[in-house]
Amino acid sequence: MANIVILGTQWGDEGKGKIVDLLTPAFGAVARYQGGHNAGHTVYLNGRKVVLHVIPSGILHPGTLCLIGNGVVIDPRAFLDELEALKSVVPVGEDSIAVSRTAHLILPYHGLLERAAEAALGEKKIGTTCRGIGPAYEDKIGRRGIRAGDLCDPALLREKIFRNTAAKNEIAALWGLEPLDPEKLFAQYADYGARMAPYIKDVSRLLHETLRAGTPVLFEGAQGVLLDIDHGTYPYVTSSNPTAGGVCTGLGVGPTVIDAVLGVIKAYTTRVGSGPFPTELFDETGKLLARRGDEFGATTGRPRRCGWFDAVAAAYACRINGISRVIMTKPDVLDEFPEIKICTAYRYKGSSLRDYPVETEVLEKVVPVYETVPGWKTPVRGVREFRDLPAGFKDFLKLVEDRIGAEAAMISTGVERRETLFRDDLLAGWIDLAAVRKGIAGA
Ligand code: IMP
């Protein structure tokens, strides 16, 4: 079977967590390649809600190897807390999780400085999760970062923490912030190091061994394409590459191991934080989407901005990631709507744009052009077979597929694993659906 990337095609929160969890039985390993504990992947296990932040969403299946690549930034405390919380839900052994030795660490000064920088931006703030993600990536690119492997070498860790804290305290003084005590930081991180040591490994090599054994791997993206540092709505983006290219740099594998990329699309659009959002709704319809879709951030609890499905943006996401098959989530949220809109073009300065403009300043000014379909007014929630879906929903789906240039291979009709519908012909050769169905039956 194939090695597949699953990534979000919008601004994150497409429902990737459920999809990755559900498909895991068909894969031997699940590997995260970017982001950090800014992500919030929600998975329901027998009615119990589990929110994963940095640990791959395959972890609820014992026996699956969960890899955290060098492209991820790790807050050791968040990692250890998440691990502890998970242990009350599923057995998690030292062999279940590996963190790359070369993944960069988040330290307390990253969050402190980020909060000050965001506050200083006022109305222009990015609206980050303030988890220190961006500043940790800044240090990585600035070649002064501290990596997970350093946790296992106390003398080196001490030297790096002292050097970096001195530099950060100078910046903190400019912001009027209290200095951090490097001795305390070192003691804290040395303790984290002792607890994390069994998990810190050469992830690229582990991945190669897994692939060489012929075990299929699922590559799990966090956030979404439109939050990509290179291809998203810069500067209102995260600081990593959720796009498929991030798999190679973020895990140490060549592009030739990736057989296919599956994009997750939510049946409408949401965004957390600042930045352009052409189809955003400020009226009762937007509020209804938020309410029916329970659109509150899984990491920060912030209300998500809501709007209609944007096919122009999703088509762009499919193009730059080589996506020909998508997975639609949350169409059940639209069940009650009398009519449903899909943005299929933008108007900008009197002309019609069918292609997504990469300039944020243009995107801020476009006006969405909608095609409207009647609502299906029948529940798609819990429907298990494609043929049983309401005709109105199938028309909506067809329009989405036409406009984004990709076919829907799966549809999620509720939060539980079993509330999922597969088009087997579109996944044949990619995913062992018998294994997936067995996993669902056994849940
Ligand atoms: P950062 O990733 O914390 O630097 O935040 C940068 C932008 O990405 C902000 O708009 C965040 O709201 C957004 N963001 C980060 N992680 C997620 C996520 O998992 N889902 C949705 N938005 C996210």
Side-chain angles (χ1 to χ4, degrees), residues 11-13 16 38-41 114 126-135 222-224 227 236-239 271-274 299-300 302 304:
W11 280 287
D13 307 318
K16 299 176 289 294
N38 48 352
H41 295 159
E114 180 172 24
I126 310 289
T128 74
T129 59
C130 281
R131 297 285 192 274
I133 307 292
Q223 289 82 47
L227 286 171
Y236 302 103
V237 290
T238 193
S239 300
R271 162 161 217 174
V272 202
S274 322
T299 296
T300 57
R302 290 181 290 175
R304 296 178 184 142

Side-chain angles (χ1 to χ4, degrees), residues 361-430:
E361 298 70 25
V362 175
L363 200 66
E364 273 165 349
K365 295 192 187 78
V366 300
V367 177
V369 179
Y370 290 113
E371 290 183 44
T372 305
V373 295
W376 44 88
K377 298 275 218 146
T378 323
V380 298
R381 173 120 211 207
V383 174
R384 304 278 291 278
E385 296 294 336
F386 191 79
R387 61 172 178 272
D388 297 334
L389 286 166
F393 170 73
K394 285 186 189 160
D395 292 343
F396 165 76
L397 186 67
K398 182 88 185 65
L399 184 59
V400 168
E401 291 179 322
D402 281 351
R403 295 300 182 266
I404 68 174
E407 291 174 289
M410 280 169 62
I411 297 160
S412 165
T413 56
V415 296
E416 295 284 348
R417 288 174 182 165
R418 62 176 186 282
E419 295 175 310
T420 314
L421 191 153
F422 302 91
R423 276 160 131 178
D424 291 39
D425 53 324
L426 297 183
L427 294 167
W430 282 12

Side-chain angles (χ1 to χ4, degrees), residues 265 309-319 323 326 328 341-346 353-356 369-373 395-408:
I265 57 168
F309 184 79
D310 185 340
V312 182
Y316 163 75
C318 289
R319 168 163 62 82
I323 294 171
V326 292
M328 180 179 277
K341 295 188 181 190
I342 299 170
C343 167
T344 54
Y346 298 144
L353 304 182
R354 293 238 165 228
D355 276 332
Y356 177 88
V369 179
Y370 290 113
E371 290 183 44
T372 305
V373 295
D395 292 343
F396 165 76
L397 186 67
K398 182 88 185 65
L399 184 59
V400 168
E401 291 179 322
D402 281 351
R403 295 300 182 266
I404 68 174
E407 291 174 289

